Amino acid sequence: MDNINALILFVSLILLFCIAFSRFLTKAGIPVLVFFILAGMIMGSDGIGGIYFDNAAVASTIGNFAICYILFAGGMATSWKSAREVLVPGVLLSTVGVIITAVLVGVAAYLLVGLTWLQGLLLGAVVSCTDAASVFSILRSNNLNLKAPLAPLLELESSSNDPTAYMLTIAIIGLMTAPDSSFFSFVTLFVMQFVIGGVLGLAFGFAGAWVMNRIRLNSDGLYPVVAATLAALIYSAVQVMQGNGFLGIYIAGMVMGNMKLVYKSSLVRFFDGFSWLMQILVFVTLGLLVFPSQLPSVWLPALTISAMLMFIIRPAAVFLTLLPFKYTKKAQLLVSWVGLRGASSIVFASYALTYALPNGDVIFNMVFFISLTSVIIQGSLLAPMASLLDQLDHEDKTLVSRSFTDYEEELQGGLYELSVTKGSSAVGMAVEELKFPESVRIMLIRRGSGTVTPTGKTQVKEGDMLMVTANNTDVLLALKERLGFA
């Protein structure tokens, strides 16, 4: 028991130090999540912690679980209004762009590193997706306001390209473990998973919103729990039905995030924080899985692929994909540079260890090295690159907060105050007993020097100030007359 307590103390101190040090990292343009990978390596068997962990299957499971919630949170925080303006180029970057990247990396790995064709393509598949968490943490921490429509384009691409990379990875592993598989079966599986995942994601998203808006709970704190349970249910249901669970959960999150939901702001804030917890969990786990003593043997081939990915392959994929659209060369160069690799790539690389593939350890270590160099080099130079390419908007100071994870409550109509005075018939009634019309919503109750977030069971008291939204004042006048509000 003492050993367990000592271990918990050690891990807690390391994580707290990482969080405290994050301020200095973000100023340098390096995502704090990189520090959590290093923390995992420090706590691992080659570090001072001495925690021996080599179970790739457990790491993959933890990674899949974490990515599920990261994608759901990303979907909820994505504005459909902004996303639809860049829908076609964004979707093409997250599908065609990912495939082009995977193929080009595969060719480079075959010619320069000495991997087989399938091993090279597997390496390409796992590093073909960009890491949304790294991208947006850098943009937000440096308060970089990109010129429209770059912000929503990068948001949509980095948030939605994991499903394509995942499918490519699984398909190539299938070809490696079952050589008799045909290319036609691979294409059929690819299309089927995307269609089923997309359709079920839409259906479950609407169903999830319906459940959230109609369930009546006694505690406000249970609503995030219900939403988190729904997210797990949606992901697993899509997987069981042979769809792409990552695509399904992202679309479901986007549907729910763009609909009216009870306690929507609280839910989005909860999942923003919860996704951070998931990212920390997966980065520390992957750090534990890495044996730093093995990295020197792959540094040269990994650095070669990483450099080609930054300066040749990613730009080629972006320019080819965006060719039909009217983006300037400078804008395309910035999109090319904002192609950071991160947690998803390392999680997908762990599959090579899970399936005990030939050169699986080499591929995993190379991906780990590529991801670190990508985040450190591209991340630290992102702000200077955006300035050099003249892609910063110096007039609009709200682009970052409006385009990424921040969320403002959707208010229908105006915001008004209703005072519960002495003699009002509302005194002592529960909120659900007030029978407000659908067009009127109580957002907050000011009570004394504090505030109350109302539920249907919240009891109205004399002196309360109800903060409500309404489409027109006629409805409010009728309520004042009926319930005696001031």
Side-chain angles (χ1 to χ4, degrees), residues 371-448:
S371 297
L372 277 184
T373 54
S374 170
V375 170
I376 293 173
I377 296 174
Q378 291 176 281
S380 60
L381 295 178
L382 198 157
M385 188 67 69
S387 179
L388 178 66
L389 295 172
D390 191 28
Q391 295 303 305
L392 295 178
D393 191 322
H394 298 288
E395 296 181 2
D396 190 342
K397 301 300 182 182
T398 63
L399 284 175
V400 171
S401 61
R402 189 174 63 238
S403 299
F404 306 138
T405 57
D406 286 346
Y407 180 82
E408 294 181 0
E409 185 71 57
E410 295 174 340
L411 300 177
Q412 299 298 320
L415 183 62
Y416 304 93
E417 295 181 350
L418 296 177
S419 179
V420 183
T421 57
K422 184 178 180 180
S424 170
S425 60
V427 175
M429 296 176 65
V431 167
E432 61 186 6
E433 295 174 334
L434 298 177
K435 299 188 183 303
F436 276 16
E438 289 291 330
S439 59
V440 179
R441 296 176 60 192
I442 302 177
M443 310 303 297
L444 193 71
I445 298 178
R446 290 181 180 174
R447 180 171 293 168

Side-chain angles (χ1 to χ4, degrees), residues 177-397:
T177 55
D180 296 334
S181 301
S182 66
F183 180 76
F184 177 75
S185 63
F186 155 69
V187 174
T188 302
L189 177 64
F190 193 90
V191 173
M192 182 186 72
Q193 286 242 330
F194 264 79
V195 171
I196 295 176
V199 172
L200 290 179
L202 282 171
F204 284 135
F206 284 109
W210 185 88
V211 170
M212 290 298 300
N213 286 330
R214 282 161 179 78
I215 194 170
R216 293 291 181 265
L217 302 173
N218 293 326
S219 173
D220 299 351
L222 287 175
Y223 283 91
V225 177
V226 173
T229 305
L230 285 174
L233 175 65
I234 292 169
Y235 171 77
S236 58
V238 174
Q239 288 285 97
V240 168
M241 297 180 189
Q242 304 302 309
N244 187 311
F246 290 144
L247 178 63
I249 194 63
Y250 176 72
I251 292 178
M254 183 184 289
V255 170
M256 293 177 67
N258 285 273
M259 294 181 67
K260 293 180 181 179
L261 290 179
V262 293
Y263 308 117
K264 191 172 182 180
S265 287
S266 298
L267 289 175
V268 173
R269 292 191 186 98
F270 167 80
F271 279 108
D272 188 28
F274 192 66
S275 67
W276 268 101
L277 179 61
M278 291 296 99
Q279 290 167 50
I280 292 172
L281 173 64
V282 70
F283 271 75
V284 171
T285 302
L286 294 173
L288 286 171
L289 187 63
V290 170
F291 288 79
S293 59
Q294 298 176 2
L295 294 180
S297 63
V298 301
W299 77 267
L300 184 58
L303 187 60
T304 301
I305 296 298
S306 183
M308 292 194 66
L309 190 56
M310 289 185 215
F311 300 107
I312 300 175
I313 295 174
R314 166 72 176 178
V318 170
F319 273 78
L320 288 172
T321 305
L322 296 182
L323 193 60
F325 307 97
K326 296 181 180 179
Y327 288 94
T328 65
K329 289 184 178 179
K330 288 185 176 181
Q332 293 183 65
L333 283 173
L334 184 62
V335 173
S336 302
W337 189 253
V338 189
L340 284 70
R341 317 295 141 173
S344 298
S345 293
I346 305 175
V347 170
F348 297 157
S350 68
Y351 297 171
L353 299 177
T354 302
Y355 287 91
L357 299 177
N359 281 329
D361 56 339
V362 173
I363 292 173
F364 177 81
N365 289 329
M366 284 185 65
V367 171
F368 188 86
F369 193 91
I370 290 169
S371 297
L372 277 184
T373 54
S374 170
V375 170
I376 293 173
I377 296 174
Q378 291 176 281
S380 60
L381 295 178
L382 198 157
M385 188 67 69
S387 179
L388 178 66
L389 295 172
D390 191 28
Q391 295 303 305
L392 295 178
D393 191 322
H394 298 288
E395 296 181 2
D396 190 342
K397 301 300 182 182

Side-chain angles (χ1 to χ4, degrees), residues 4-146:
I4 295 296
N5 291 329
L7 178 62
I8 294 173
L9 176 63
F10 173 72
V11 172
S12 301
L13 289 174
I14 291 289
L15 294 181
L16 283 174
F17 175 77
C18 291
I19 295 172
F21 197 70
S22 64
R23 181 178 179 182
F24 302 99
L25 284 179
T26 51
K27 283 186 176 180
I30 302 174
V32 64
L33 295 173
V34 173
F35 214 45
F36 287 105
I37 283 187
L38 298 178
M41 296 169 67
I42 292 172
M43 292 185 288
S45 58
D46 282 356
I48 60 176
I51 302 173
Y52 188 84
F53 179 73
D54 66 348
N55 195 322
V58 171
S60 298
T61 301
I62 293 174
N64 288 341
F65 177 78
I67 292 174
C68 161
Y69 281 104
I70 293 170
L71 289 177
F72 184 73
M76 285 200 72
T78 298
S79 168
W80 171 245
K81 182 179 179 181
S82 300
R84 66 183 178 186
E85 297 176 1
V86 293
L87 182 62
V88 176
V91 170
L92 286 177
L93 279 175
S94 63
T95 52
V96 177
V98 166
I99 294 173
I100 293 174
T101 301
V103 171
L104 292 180
V105 171
V107 172
Y110 175 75
L111 296 176
L112 302 177
V113 179
L115 297 177
T116 66
W117 275 112
L118 285 178
Q119 290 171 1
L121 288 174
L122 178 60
L123 175 65
V126 299
V127 298
S128 60
C129 57
T130 57
D131 186 61
S134 298
V135 170
F136 298 128
S137 66
I138 292 176
L139 291 173
R140 286 168 59 82
S141 62
N142 287 277
N143 197 28
L144 297 180
N145 304 291
L146 303 181

